[in-house]
Amino acid sequence: PENTWLAGERGTGKTEFVSQISARLGRKLYRVNFDEAMERADFIGANVIENGSVVWKAGVLTQAIQHQGSIILLDEVGFARAQSLAVLHSVCERSPHRAVVIAATGGRIPVQPFVAFFACDNSNGHGDSSGNFAGVREQNTAFLDRFGFSLRFEYLPAIQEAGLITNRSGLDFHKAEVLVRFANIAREKAQAGLLT
């Protein structure tokens, strides 16, 4: 499967989209939530002390690639540091030989067949100059090239969003329309930098 990059404003459904794909296809979903402090060891694995001995313990990504057909969500990947993401280059490339090599053990963990990667961020991998997404970094083009598709998520049209609110909450449709009008005004002002 092709890896896919999902971009768009917060709350447009990027993460939910991946959850729904996983559920509808009956495939196991693994989610890696990136932030400024995440180190490579946090998602790949590291040596830990167990029962007085040093043992290597797999991280969520290393566990995920061992399950055929798993879907791996790299969520908020724009917050990750480039040196933390470098290991993902080899597992995200289109190759039957993709794998993670564990320096601590010398072992090699191959990516099982049909594993698919989805990356979610607000900036489509190009950083944020608007100030709306503080801390989002521009991604290495070699990493971006590992994603064959890029999908842009937008907010629903107002009538559909109001219908969704009504269907999910039972709120009267006209009241839902008022909420959506308010939300759209707030979103426009946030994009213009007038609201944080």
Side-chain angles (χ1 to χ4, degrees), residues 33-39 42 75-76 79-81 84 137:
N33 291 309
F34 287 92
D35 61 39
E36 172 69 29
M38 182 174 262
E39 298 285 338
D42 295 327
D75 209 5
E76 302 296 350
F79 288 111
R81 294 189 303 259
S84 296
R137 294 180 169 89

Side-chain angles (χ1 to χ4, degrees), residues 56-143:
W56 188 81
K57 186 169 183 164
V60 65
L61 180 82
T62 312
Q63 294 172 38
I65 64 173
Q66 295 181 64
H67 295 277
Q68 181 172 316
S70 64
I71 292 177
I72 302 171
L73 172 58
L74 307 173
D75 209 5
E76 302 296 350
V77 71
F79 288 111
R81 294 189 303 259
Q83 61 269 32
S84 296
L85 294 180
V87 69
L88 293 176
H89 290 217
S90 63
V91 296
C92 289
E93 66 186 9
R94 289 187 54 82
S95 167
H97 308 293
R98 58 189 182 159
V100 172
V101 176
I102 308 303
T105 66
R108 181 179 178 278
I109 301 173
V111 178
Q112 292 301 305
F114 309 113
V115 169
F117 288 87
F118 286 84
C120 290
D121 93 326
N122 302 114
S123 73
N124 207 17
H126 301 292
D128 175 50
S129 59
S130 72
N132 290 329
F133 305 107
V136 172
R137 294 180 169 89
E138 185 172 358
Q139 297 300 310
N140 180 315
T141 55
F143 181 57

